Amino acid sequence: MKRELTKILDLTGVVVKSKKEIEKTLILEVEASSKTARCPSCQKVSHRLHQNHWHLVKDLPGGEKEIFLRVNRRQFKCNFCSKPFSEELNFVKKRQKYTKRYAQFIVEEVINSNLLGAAKRNNLTEKEVESMINQVSQEVDRSPDCESGACGQLDSRVFPIPLKNLTRLGIDEMALVKGQGKFIVVLVDLETGKLIGLIPERKAKVLEKYLTSWGKEILEQIEEVIRSPDFKSGEARMTRFPSKYRYV
């Protein structure tokens, strides 16, 4: 049963230790499968477990059930510099009450509706939703050099953001809360409909810098860009990219 739950949970390097069901809520007790962790001070690998620290985080729903993970973020003591440290977990940030993939799930709801609606449907506050948007806007800024669409400690199954086959790019802006001047820029692969970028500012310079970071190979394979009319002011800068771009 534990192996089946671990497979269903589908988080790289994470194992399910036990489960508990309370009405429409499922709580899974999880921890990293590795028996070691790397010391952030001296970069040496340690297997010396110091303490267990458990905390509850919200994950993607499963059907009609809310799913929470009781996460063990273990504390190790370094064998070399003797300093205690907490292990890094690639699916949830420290002191966060939700997984990275749950944050993306909420952001996609915001994009398809609005901030207030997404907050109400998921029993969240507006501040919690805004915090998730800020988190995802940082996490989706990945290097396209990784074919899986994710680099470093970001697992491709947490944020699947492939750019390898991107040919049609959609650029739009969205007001988080009407009348409050809070906007984000949304980048979408128009062929798959998947979110591939989220920028917390709508300045042309910021957009240009973001797109340039994808690299020449990715930019040259894009055949069409459909963008919101609100970005007309930034079009002059964007035409520095390949001339085959067609703005609609």
Side-chain angles (χ1 to χ4, degrees):
M1 177 60 74
K2 292 179 183 178
R3 288 185 179 180
E4 289 180 7
L5 287 172
T6 297
K7 187 176 181 180
I8 292 171
L9 184 62
D10 195 27
L11 285 174
T12 300
V14 176
V15 294
V16 176
K17 309 293 288 185
S18 66
K19 73 167 185 174
K20 184 177 182 180
E21 292 189 57
I22 305 173
E23 296 181 350
K24 291 187 176 182
T25 301
L26 176 63
I27 301 174
L28 301 176
E29 190 172 285
V30 304
E31 68 179 21
S33 56
S34 174
K35 302 300 181 184
T36 63
R38 189 175 297 277
C39 175
S41 298
C42 67
Q43 297 301 309
K44 301 292 185 180
V45 174
S46 175
H47 63 269
R48 187 178 171 187
L49 183 62
H50 184 54
Q51 288 180 330
N52 290 313
H53 290 289
W54 297 91
H55 64 289
L56 205 63
V57 300
K58 194 169 186 177
D59 195 26
L60 294 173
E64 295 183 356
K65 287 185 179 292
E66 280 192 314
I67 297 180
F68 287 86
L69 306 182
R70 186 169 181 259
V71 180
N72 182 14
R73 190 183 292 272
R74 300 167 299 183
Q75 190 176 67
F76 289 79
K77 199 161 189 178
C78 184
N79 298 323
F80 295 88
C81 63
S82 298
K83 293 181 179 180
F85 65 93
S86 295
E87 66 182 336
E88 292 291 334
L89 299 173
N90 64 4
F91 66 96
V92 59
K93 285 188 173 184
K94 291 180 181 178
R95 294 180 289 278
Q96 289 287 12
K97 297 181 179 179
Y98 44 82
T99 61
K100 291 179 180 180
R101 66 184 183 183
Y102 181 71
Q104 189 188 28
F105 168 75
I106 294 299
V107 169
E108 288 177 347
E109 278 208 16
V110 173
I111 291 170
N112 292 322
S113 57
N114 56 65
L115 187 147
L116 295 177
K120 288 180 179 179
R121 283 192 299 275
N122 295 279
N123 298 316
L124 300 168
T125 66
E126 292 177 43
K127 286 187 177 181
E128 285 176 322
V129 175
E130 287 188 20
S131 175
M132 292 180 188
I133 290 170
N134 289 331
Q135 176 182 316
V136 172
S137 68
Q138 296 172 16
E139 297 292 350
V140 297
D141 189 8
R142 302 290 100 192
S143 170
D145 294 332
C146 301
E147 291 188 0
S148 66
C151 295
Q153 297 186 13
L154 189 65
D155 189 273
S156 62
R157 280 176 288 182
V158 177
F159 285 104
I161 314 164
L163 297 176
K164 185 178 180 180
N165 299 316
L166 178 64
T167 58
R168 298 179 66 233
L169 172 65
I171 305 175
D172 202 355
E173 67 175 23
M174 183 185 69
L176 295 180
V177 182
K178 290 185 178 180
Q180 293 190 14
K182 296 181 180 179
F183 292 87
I184 57 173
V185 175
V186 180
L187 306 179
V188 177
D189 182 338
L190 294 175
E191 291 294 333
T192 63
K194 289 185 176 181
L195 173 70
I196 56 173
L198 196 64
I199 310 172
E201 293 185 67
R202 55 174 178 167
K203 295 178 181 178
K205 287 184 178 180
V206 176
L207 176 62
E208 181 187 9
K209 183 178 179 180
Y210 189 97
L211 295 179
T212 303
S213 72
W214 286 355
K216 183 179 179 181
E217 184 178 349
I218 297 298
L219 294 176
E220 287 187 343
Q221 74 188 22
I222 298 175
E223 299 173 358
E224 181 180 58
V225 176
I226 298 179
R227 54 100 179 99
S228 163
D230 294 325
F231 280 105
K232 285 182 179 178
S233 60
E235 185 171 339
R237 288 192 176 92
M238 291 171 61
T239 52
R240 294 179 188 173
F241 298 129
S243 57
K244 64 180 178 180
Y245 273 23
R246 182 166 69 87
Y247 295 92
V248 180

